Every structure is written in structure tokens, then in C-alpha cells.
Amino acid sequence: MAPSTLSSNTAFISYSQTNHHSRFSLLPIFHYSNSRRPIFSVHAAASDNSNSPLVAHKLPKISAPVIPAPALGKWAVDSWKSKNALQMPEYPDLDELESVLKTIESFPPIVFAGEARNLEERLAEAAMGNAFLLQGGDCAESFKEFNANNTRDTFRVLLQMSVVLMFGGQMPVIKVGRMAGQFAKPRSEGFEEKNGVKLPAYRGDNINGDTFTEKDRIPDPHRMIRAYTQSAATLNLLRAFATGGYAAMQRVTQWNLDFAENSEQGDRYHELANRVDEALGFMAAAGLTIDHPIMTTTEFWTSHECLLLPYEQALTRLDSTSGLYYDCSAHMVWVGERTRQLDGAHVEFIRGIANPIGIKVSDKMDPNELVKLIDILNPHNKPGRITVIVRMGAENQRVKLPNLIRAVRGAGQIVTWVCDPMHGNTIKAPCGLKTRSFDAILAEVRAFFDVHEQEGSYPGGIHLEMTGQNVTECIGGSRTVTYDDLNSRYHTHCDPRLNASQSLELVFILAERLRKRRIGTQRLLSLRI
């Protein structure tokens, strides 16, 4: 890969500030084909849903105003600078910023283009209903909490969750972490005020500090270098866990966390793990090898929000194999709800990189605007390129999501639909802390599946803010966390996360839904035969 060039006389004067193949499976029967089949449809056959128990009434067609697409000029790695860039920090010393960016530009890539292409192929399978995306990790990574144990524990929970989902769905699970780069956070307000003192908002450890002092809140470009080194170290550790034997299916009974050992979810996981262990024993007795890489290693990818554009540009490289540009800070990046403007800087940047792209979508998204945005980011309609991550609360899922699905289907666009049940369910507890209700999170997941069943489309995955730590940040779950418990172990730097027990409880319920969907599909196929 050849490094991209970054003009030394580029002026970062100001940004507009507006508030606005190794893998594993349960049994070696799943495989991805290296030869791509033509994809004719990404939806199940259309049917009359009037008799479906999931449909209370037919949703009316909504005539939305046509949103014109912006004129697109020639893309360059820095063409985003000609656009309006929201949610960007204002660095006080531009020469210092330029020096830091030159340093990062000289660093090796954190990920490689071939890995991102492999992820795109897997996501294309999820778009067709042949795989399921499990994307999870911290709301915002921090410098203070960075250590090997925390990384291992989150990775371990994701492994457990993937086994549960794979067992229920009988399909490959694509594991993508919100890890090794998820630092920057968009903010609803540019400033924060306490006791009459007004300071810039905390925007993530790669930009400024969370301590409420003038010194800590000043954006410091050197934090980007620390974020790079931490991301590289995290990914190095994840690679070791994924390929060095830790993720071997034979260790499935050893992945439990100590604090989840004596819980209902821990017991359920042990029961499932023992069934997997028995299946492995049967395979070995039958002479089937369990030492194949498919059983001893796993694929794992990283992702984060593409927010701090100078950093993302500095890590963008021209791939000598394909001749395409890749943002080598992560395998997958997404554009957020606050920065997805059709004519904005963030959309301009990501339209030119070849990584798989996520689009965060709330109830504010107009169906026509979504179609235009997908067309800008994926003009060749390449499967696996676009993942639409829906975050809008359960009731809005039932009302708004059908219109988005119909608009995308009507345009013939291929996307992977994913549910983010976290961001539409944030509330403030009586103690003043932000929290989320497990019941509300579960209700949104159920609504997401209900709508896709109603529309004949594929629910392609789930996107969670979660951790392997034994935190008390989200209320509810079988090991009930109450409002009074929040102050006990509330460690998040930004938004509340599910702990390991809550995460497992959620995927056990989700796995049962996948199992029923699988059985229903098998019955339909048998009737057709």
C-alpha cells in the first residue's frame, strides 16, 4: 500500500461548529463462497401480509418531498475540506496540528485493505439473510481504562454472544467490535456549563479530557497519537486472542466471566456450551478433525464512528492491489446521525473510501434522503458496502422503519439492516445519571424483527454498546439493576452500556427469535418442495 499524500500547506483554519481466513462455527457446515453469486434480490418474496398477526393495520404510503442530490465533484482524500464539517474541534495551534497529522501519516496502517474487503463479503451474506452481524463494544474508549484485561473481557463476551446466536440461528455470526479506535463522540452541545463556568464539551479522549478544567477541555492534537498507539495495541491483542488459541471452539466452556458464573445467564450459557462440547466430542469420535483453523481461530473486525476527519484522512492509504483508497484506522466506519448531511464533509470523505460503511438512522431520517445517501455512498450498489444501523426506539421502529425499508427496496438498493437498540432509549435517572432500560432495549429489538418479518426483509444484525466489565449502567435484566444501583459501578465516559450478564440475556432471547425464524423458513421451503 502506498501512503496518501497530505499537502503541507493545507490550512486548518476552522471547522464550522454547529450543534445540529480463519473463522469458526458450531459445526463445520457453514462456509462463505469466494466466488460471488449474482444477487437478484435482498428481500423475501412479496406477500399479502393482511392476515399476519404482526400487522395491526396497513401503513399508508407517505408522499415525501423529493430531496435533490448534491452535485458530486471529483473525490480526493482531502476534498472533504471544501464542505461544511460539523462536530469538529477547534485546535488552538494549527502548526502543532499539522505536525501531528504528518507524524500519523507516516505511521503504518492499523488495519489492511484485504481485511476490510473480507468483511464486506461477509456483510453481503448478512444482507441476503445468510449471516448475522454482532457489533458491540464501548460507547467511547478511554485512555484511563485501557488494559489487557478489559480488552479480553469484552472480546470474551462477544465470543459467548456469537456462540449463542450461532446456535440459535444456525448461521455464521460476523463479529465486529466497537474497539481499537472508538474514541471520538458527537455532542448535542458544543459547550458544557457547571456552577456558572462554561467550557468546551468533552468530545472523546482522542480530542480532549473529560475532567472539567480549562486545561483538559482544550483540544490537544497529540491525543491523536496516543489514540493511534492504543488502537494498534488493542488490535494486536485482539488478533492474538482471535488466532492464538483463545478463541478455539474447544474452549467454549471456559469463556465465562467470574461475576456471571452464578447467574441465570451463566447457567444457560454453561448448558449451551456443554452441548457444543458434546458435539465436538462426537465429531472427534467420528474421525472429523477439530484441529482445523475453522475450529481453532475466529475472524474479528474493528469499527468506529468516522468523526475526527483529520485523523481519518491521515490514516487513509491507497491500496496497491485494488487501486482504491481505504481508511486504515478500522475495517468498518460509520457516519453518525449528526454528520450524515448529503452535502456535508463526513459524507464527502466516506464516499471515496472503499471500507464497508455504516449509516446511523433515527426516526428523523426521510426515506427519500436515505435513498439519496445510499446512492452517494454506494453508486454501484455493491453488496456488503452499506449497513443501515437503525436507532429510533420501539414505537418509531414500528411506524418509521417500514417506510425506510420500502423506499430502499423500491430503489433496488442492497443494504444490510441492523438494529441499534441503545441510542433511542437513553433516559435520565432520578440521581441525574444517564441510563437505559433493558426492557426498552429488548422492546426495540423485538420491534425490529417484527417489522422485517412484516416487510419480507432480512434483519441482518445488532449493534450494542456493551462491556465485559461488571458495570451497573443500564437498569433491568434478570439480575435486576435498579436506579439505586447505578452509582455502584457506573464507569462509562459517555453513554450507559450493557454489562456481560445483560448482554447474554439479550442474545439468548434474540437467538430464540432467530431459531423460530429459521424453523419458519424451513417449513416454507418444505411446503414448496
Side-chain angles (χ1 to χ4, degrees):
M1 288 193 197
S4 61
T5 56
L6 187 65
S7 174
S8 60
N9 58 5
T10 300
F12 290 91
I13 299 174
S14 66
Y15 300 106
S16 300
Q17 198 66 37
T18 308
N19 297 327
H20 160 236
H21 292 338
S22 56
R23 58 185 183 270
F24 81 94
S25 61
L26 182 62
L27 293 172
I29 58 174
F30 303 136
H31 64 89
Y32 296 98
S33 172
N34 289 327
S35 59
R36 304 300 306 157
R37 301 185 305 274
I39 293 179
F40 300 102
S41 174
V42 291
H43 303 276
S47 61
D48 183 1
N49 291 312
S50 59
N51 296 322
S52 171
L54 299 173
V55 186
H57 59 277
K58 290 277 188 177
L59 289 166
K61 291 186 177 180
I62 297 177
S63 298
V66 176
I67 299 174
L72 301 177
K74 184 178 180 181
W75 186 87
V77 73
D78 61 350
S79 57
W80 63 269
K81 294 176 183 176
S82 65
K83 305 289 185 177
N84 188 28
L86 306 184
Q87 296 289 331
M88 300 291 278
E90 295 184 356
Y91 292 98
D93 189 331
L94 301 182
D95 291 335
E96 185 180 31
L97 172 64
E98 183 71 11
S99 175
V100 165
L101 293 175
K102 283 181 175 293
T103 299
I104 296 173
E105 189 183 354
S106 70
F107 287 166
I110 295 175
V111 306
F112 297 95
E115 297 170 334
R117 283 194 290 272
N118 289 342
L119 174 57
E120 186 176 65
E121 290 179 5
R122 307 298 186 261
L123 292 171
E125 296 290 340
M128 295 296 295
N130 298 323
F132 194 81
L133 172 64
L134 171 62
Q135 188 172 13
D138 264 316
C139 166
E141 293 175 281
S142 74
F143 295 158
K144 295 175 186 175
E145 294 188 6
F146 173 57
N147 62 66
N149 289 341
N150 286 345
T151 301
R152 177 204 60 206
D153 289 348
T154 298
F155 179 73
R156 179 162 49 175
V157 174
L158 287 168
L159 286 180
Q160 289 181 301
M161 295 166 72
S162 69
V163 168
V164 172
L165 291 170
M166 188 162 42
F167 195 91
Q170 295 289 292
M171 65 172 60
V173 174
I174 307 161
K175 295 172 288 299
V176 179
R178 289 175 56 110
M179 305 171 74
Q182 177 53 23
F183 292 99
K185 294 296 294 181
R187 307 317 300 246
S188 55
E189 298 292 339
F191 289 87
E192 181 181 357
E193 188 170 342
K194 289 183 180 180
N195 300 321
V197 179
K198 189 175 183 181
L199 295 175
Y202 169 64
R203 293 185 175 275
D205 276 10
N206 63 341
I207 295 175
N208 57 2
D210 63 339
T211 305
F212 193 75
T213 65
E214 185 175 0
K215 180 181 178 181
D216 281 289
R217 292 301 176 89
I218 295 174
D220 178 4
H222 290 280
R223 285 176 168 268
M224 286 189 279
I225 294 179
R226 185 170 177 183
Y228 170 92
T229 58
Q230 181 170 319
S231 298
T234 300
L235 185 54
N236 183 58
L237 189 59
L238 290 169
R239 290 188 199 280
F241 285 143
T243 62
Y246 185 86
M249 187 57 72
Q250 295 91 319
R251 292 178 54 91
V252 67
T253 59
Q254 302 172 38
W255 289 339
N256 226 350
L257 294 164
D258 294 338
F259 64 83
E261 189 75 26
N262 298 313
S263 68
E264 179 185 348
Q265 307 316 319
D267 293 342
R268 292 180 70 184
Y269 176 76
H270 268 306
E271 180 184 350
L272 184 148
N274 288 331
R275 293 171 69 183
V276 174
D277 204 40
E278 289 175 0
L280 294 175
F282 171 79
M283 290 167 55
L288 299 173
T289 177
I290 58 174
D291 294 324
H292 190 279
I294 198 174
M295 303 300 292
T296 59
T297 61
T298 189
E299 290 179 321
F300 194 86
W301 290 274
T302 62
S303 65
H304 64 251
E305 181 172 358
C306 181
L307 193 61
L308 188 55
L309 293 179
Y311 177 81
E312 304 295 341
Q313 177 188 329
L315 281 171
T316 298
R317 305 286 187 266
L318 179 62
D319 175 35
S320 58
T321 301
S322 64
L324 301 173
Y325 281 95
Y326 282 84
D327 182 349
C328 294
S329 66
H331 300 108
M332 174 185 182
V333 293
W334 69 83
V335 62
E337 170 71 13
R338 295 185 177 97
T339 55
R340 58 170 173 74
Q341 296 78 16
L342 298 182
D343 58 352
H346 292 81
V347 169
E348 171 63 21
F349 175 77
I350 64 173
R351 79 176 176 92
I353 59 174
N355 306 60
I357 299 298
I359 303 171
K360 285 289 189 86
V361 170
S362 77
D363 60 305
K364 300 181 181 68
M365 173 62 86
D366 178 88
N368 288 325
E369 184 180 1
L370 178 59
V371 169
K372 295 286 186 185
L373 181 54
I374 294 170
D375 190 49
I376 290 170
L377 299 180
N378 192 22
H380 302 296
N381 205 20
K382 189 177 183 183
R385 162 75 171 169
I386 298 296
T387 298
V388 179
I389 307 169
V390 185
R391 41 150 294 183
M392 56 179 66
E395 292 308 313
N396 281 321
Q397 287 267 8
R398 297 185 186 279
V399 175
K400 302 282 188 177
L401 181 56
N403 295 309
L404 297 178
I405 294 173
R406 294 169 190 176
V408 170
R409 176 168 49 202
Q413 294 171 327
I414 302 170
V415 304
T416 305
W417 293 99
V418 170
C419 176
D420 169 3
M422 309 299 293
H423 287 87
N425 293 300
T426 306
I427 58 176
K428 183 171 284 190
C431 62
L433 293 172
K434 288 194 293 185
T435 188
R436 289 159 174 159
S437 165
F438 181 86
D439 289 343
I441 291 168
L442 177 58
E444 181 159 0
V445 173
R446 284 175 168 157
F448 178 77
F449 270 77
D450 287 348
V451 168
H452 281 286
E453 187 169 331
Q454 162 193 308
E455 294 297 319
S457 47
Y458 299 118
I462 191 165
H463 180 115
L464 300 173
E465 290 186 341
M466 41 75 64
T467 177
Q469 300 175 59
N470 188 19
V471 299
T472 53
E473 296 171 0
C474 292
I475 60 172
S478 59
R479 300 182 75 181
T480 308
V481 177
T482 67
Y483 286 126
D484 293 335
D485 296 323
L486 291 178
N487 281 306
S488 175
R489 294 180 300 278
Y490 195 95
H491 299 154
T492 182
H493 281 248
C494 193
D495 291 332
R497 304 161 294 177
L498 295 171
N499 61 31
S501 179
Q502 292 167 326
S503 299
L504 277 174
E505 182 175 355
L506 183 64
V507 296
F508 268 115
I509 297 169
L510 180 53
E512 180 62 19
R513 186 66 183 258
L514 288 173
R515 188 187 71 83
K516 290 180 179 178
R517 182 181 178 88
R518 169 172 55 85
I519 292 172
T521 301
Q522 290 171 346
R523 285 174 179 167
L524 284 175
L525 290 174
S526 64
L527 289 174
R528 290 176 182 174
I529 293 173

